[in-house]
Amino acid sequence: MVVTKTIPDSGEQLNCTFASRYVRTSLPKFRMPEQPIPKDAAYQIIHDELMLDGNPRLNLASFVTTWMEPECDKLIMASINKNYVDMDEYPVTTELQNRCVNMIAHLFNAPIGETETAVGVGTVGSSEAIVLAGLAFKRKWQQKRKLEGKPYDKPNIVTGANVQVCWEKFARYFEVELKEVKLTEGYYVMDPVKAVEMVDENTICVAAILGSTLNGEFEDVKLLNELLTQKNKETGWNTPIHVDAASGGFIAPFLYPDLEWDFRLPLVKSINVSGHKYGLVYAGIGWVVWRSKEDLPDELIFHINYLGSDQPTFTLNFSKGSSQIIAQYYQLIRLGFEGYKNVMENCMENAKVLKEGIMKMGRFDIISKDIGVPLVAFLLKDSSKYTVFEISENLRRFGWIVPAYTMPPNAQHIAVLRVVIREDFSRSLAERLISDIQKVLEEMDTHLDRSSTRVAHVTATVDETHDGDGGKIAVKKSVRESHDEIIKHWRRLVDGLKTNGVC
């Protein structure tokens, strides 16, 4: 006798997720589902949704690393379950972090001996690193003011209007006034002269940017140090400098070793750098180092022992993964000084290729500098026909994510496109991008030429009216009426460019 068995939902027994019921239902968006689903179905459904994200390798807006060697990927996966804060349980990981701090401090010419331990800490990025450095400056300033019997409730930081938003966050969250040196057309970084003029007795530090987000330019930290030294002598304030080297900290030591911006300058007390930018590590790692122990107040350091031993800690968060710290150490010993130098030279060479290709088009002005972060920032010479924002939107059809943005005050009327050249952006990709930009311009020109013909027809049209004998009389429209029709036509055209045929 044959015994049969009915399977209520045969789809769940299939290996193919697309033959199951799970692709027929919407994914939960507000409430956790009542029942579990098979792991392969969960993976496939989420994986398919993520296909709609942009390609990280073609995201030219970001400075963040999007490629690492497979060997490092293995190390990351092997340590992904380690909580860095458990220092007693993972002493080797803690040691690797300390080695990274020492190497970076020496890279920045910290005044320490060859075997002397540097003062610094790993963070989840430069935002946390900047907050920690800012807190150290604020507390040092408050201590000094208290000893002098002076008010200590109105601290301020002087910086350029081109700073990253994390500086604004620090100022707002920790009640510090942010005094910004405004930009001017053609000069898109902080002017050291104007910055020093804004310094007063409540200034806890002046923040200089080594690699502006806007155009990659290095600010003149050496001149700032000289001017601020002179003002400190005149006033007795002893105002220090912090260098935000988030983007340029892993570039300047290898490409411009003679450029003085780091701890070689006496007033530079702390420096932050993003390991996940040109430190060549995936997102989630930053570093901040101090000149000496005296520059980091002891009262900001917490000591805990409930994880097995006394552990000093100075971070905003407690738990965090160990993977990026291990990855940073891998890159430092894998590449060494020569390897990092080769990577940065390649980035600069590919940036040069892209810059030359864009200049040959004759449509753009380049505002990025030859010395700085390897990126190309450029603006339209004539934006009366279309804008950089429309170019940016049209480039998405080819997969490219090229940001368009306006400059901060007082240069907000300047709109710019920017392409960041990372390690994984090859010359062939640079040449492809040049070709695609040219295609976009030609397509937009063709569209405008056709529209101009229609506009010319609109301007030449006339209204017809009847005379008293039943005949028709041609009456030209007024200049105002013709002008209004042209404006309406252009608005429809621009709206079409913003929405039609753009991914």
Side-chain angles (χ1 to χ4, degrees):
M1 183 176 65
V2 179
V3 178
T4 60
K5 183 178 180 182
T6 302
I7 301 176
D9 191 346
S10 60
E12 294 192 13
Q13 306 302 315
L14 296 173
N15 291 327
C16 179
T17 299
F18 298 110
S20 70
R21 60 187 173 88
Y22 302 108
V23 296
R24 300 195 304 267
T25 58
S26 298
L27 287 178
K29 296 181 176 64
F30 302 102
R31 291 181 180 273
M32 183 185 298
E34 293 293 332
Q35 300 296 327
I37 65 175
K39 59 181 182 294
D40 56 341
Y43 168 82
Q44 188 67 59
I45 293 169
I46 296 173
H47 176 271
D48 290 351
E49 278 215 80
L50 290 173
M51 290 193 302
L52 298 174
D53 270 347
N55 185 337
R57 295 280 301 276
L58 300 182
N59 179 8
L60 306 183
S62 177
F63 293 81
V64 176
T65 297
T66 51
W67 179 86
M68 297 189 74
E69 292 177 325
E71 290 76 11
C72 193
D73 289 345
K74 293 178 183 178
L75 285 174
I76 289 173
M77 293 308 299
S79 58
I80 203 165
N81 59 350
K82 288 185 180 180
N83 186 359
Y84 169 74
V85 77
D86 296 333
M87 299 178 185
D88 190 54
E89 286 76 8
Y90 308 123
V92 175
T93 300
T94 302
E95 171 63 17
L96 296 187
Q97 188 228 218
N98 295 339
R99 293 177 190 176
C100 289
V101 169
N102 291 333
M103 292 180 185
I104 293 170
H106 280 287
L107 192 64
F108 296 164
N109 294 293
I112 55 177
E114 284 298 317
T115 59
E116 188 178 351
T117 301
V119 181
V121 66
T123 63
V124 294
S126 276
S127 293
E128 183 187 2
I130 284 168
V131 169
L132 297 179
L135 287 173
F137 282 119
K138 181 180 179 182
R139 190 56 54 92
K140 288 279 292 184
W141 175 81
Q142 288 176 327
Q143 290 173 347
K144 183 174 181 291
R145 299 283 289 183
K146 287 179 182 178
L147 290 174
E148 295 172 347
K150 297 179 180 179
Y152 53 90
D153 59 336
K154 294 182 179 180
N156 68 66
I157 286 179
V158 174
T159 188
N162 57 309
V163 292
Q164 216 265 358
V165 69
C166 57
W167 282 98
E168 298 178 32
K169 288 183 178 180
F170 167 74
R172 188 179 303 177
Y173 294 167
F174 294 94
E175 299 180 323
V176 176
E177 179 188 1
L178 194 65
K179 300 172 69 174
E180 295 184 342
V181 178
K182 303 303 181 185
L183 308 185
T184 57
E185 185 172 349
Y187 194 85
Y188 303 114
V189 292
M190 179 181 71
D191 184 340
V193 176
K194 294 180 180 178
V196 173
E197 289 174 354
M198 296 175 70
V199 171
D200 58 33
E201 62 180 348
N202 294 321
T203 302
I204 63 175
C205 78
V206 179
I209 312 299
L210 194 79
S212 172
T213 302
L214 301 177
N215 69 341
E217 187 174 352
F218 292 166
E219 294 183 343
D220 194 340
V221 187
K222 184 177 181 181
L223 177 58
L224 176 65
N225 182 83
E226 294 172 356
L227 296 173
L228 196 53
T229 298
Q230 183 61 36
K231 185 158 189 172
N232 285 339
K233 288 181 180 179
E234 296 171 357
T235 60
W237 291 338
N238 198 29
T239 305
I241 296 173
H242 173 86
V243 179
D244 179 357
S247 299
F250 276 109
I251 294 172
F254 306 107
L255 297 185
Y256 317 110
D258 296 329
L259 181 66
E260 294 182 41
W261 62 272
D262 51 19
F263 291 120
R264 285 170 288 183
L265 303 175
L267 290 182
V268 175
K269 303 299 182 182
S270 56
I271 301 172
N272 70 276
V273 65
S274 291
H276 60 222
K277 292 182 179 177
Y278 289 97
L280 308 181
V281 178
Y282 292 138
I285 184 66
W287 304 93
V288 57
V289 289
W290 284 269
R291 170 180 288 273
S292 66
K293 292 181 180 179
E294 290 71 30
D295 297 307
L296 177 58
D298 289 335
E299 62 191 271
L300 293 178
I301 302 174
F302 289 83
H303 294 266
I304 60 172
N305 62 11
Y306 54 78
L307 292 174
S309 66
D310 178 67
Q311 299 173 10
T313 175
F314 180 38
T315 57
L316 292 182
N317 62 304
F318 195 63
S319 295
K320 69 177 178 181
S322 299
S323 298
Q324 271 68 21
I325 292 173
I326 294 169
Q328 182 72 84
Y329 186 65
Y330 171 90
Q331 293 288 55
L332 290 173
I333 66 169
R334 161 75 176 96
L335 296 173
F337 190 94
E338 191 65 27
Y340 267 94
K341 181 180 179 181
N342 290 340
V343 169
M344 302 311 156
E345 286 176 343
N346 284 344
C347 289
M348 293 301 294
E349 184 62 30
N350 289 328
K352 181 180 178 182
V353 169
L354 180 62
K355 174 184 173 182
E356 290 174 351
I358 291 173
M359 290 178 64
K360 286 180 181 178
M361 297 178 193
R363 307 285 195 95
F364 302 99
D365 287 325
I366 306 294
I367 65 167
S368 48
K369 304 297 181 180
D370 292 333
I371 296 179
V373 177
L375 62 79
V376 183
F378 52 106
L379 54 87
L380 276 169
K381 292 182 178 180
D382 180 8
S383 57
S384 62
K385 296 180 179 179
Y386 40 76
T387 69
V388 293
F389 299 97
E390 291 165 311
I391 295 174
S392 174
E393 289 175 2
N394 277 277
L395 281 171
R396 283 181 176 265
R397 292 191 291 113
F398 298 92
W400 301 108
I401 302 174
V402 178
Y405 52 89
T406 55
M407 289 293 189
N410 289 340
Q412 61 266 37
H413 60 287
I414 305 296
V416 177
L417 289 162
R418 186 197 67 208
V419 175
V420 177
I421 309 300
R422 299 189 301 270
E423 176 188 16
D424 54 355
F425 189 83
S426 63
R427 175 163 183 156
S428 61
L429 286 178
E431 292 170 346
R432 170 62 65 181
L433 178 58
I434 293 169
S435 174
D436 289 342
I437 292 174
Q438 187 65 49
K439 286 179 184 178
V440 166
L441 293 175
E442 290 172 356
E443 289 174 0
M444 296 176 76
D445 285 340
T446 301
H447 195 123
L448 287 172
D449 287 341
R450 291 173 180 170
S451 300
S452 297
T453 301
R454 292 195 294 268
V455 170
H457 175 71
V458 169
T459 59
T461 58
V462 295
D463 283 339
E464 292 182 340
T465 185
H466 294 276
D467 61 15
D469 299 324
K472 294 181 179 180
I473 301 174
V475 181
K476 289 186 177 181
K477 295 182 179 179
S478 68
V479 174
R480 179 64 183 178
E481 289 172 334
S482 297
H483 177 77
D484 289 344
E485 287 211 29
I486 294 172
I487 293 297
K488 288 179 181 178
H489 177 82
W490 276 107
R491 284 177 178 170
R492 287 196 299 270
L493 172 63
V494 171
D495 289 341
L497 286 174
K498 287 182 178 179
T499 58
N500 296 334
V502 179
C503 296

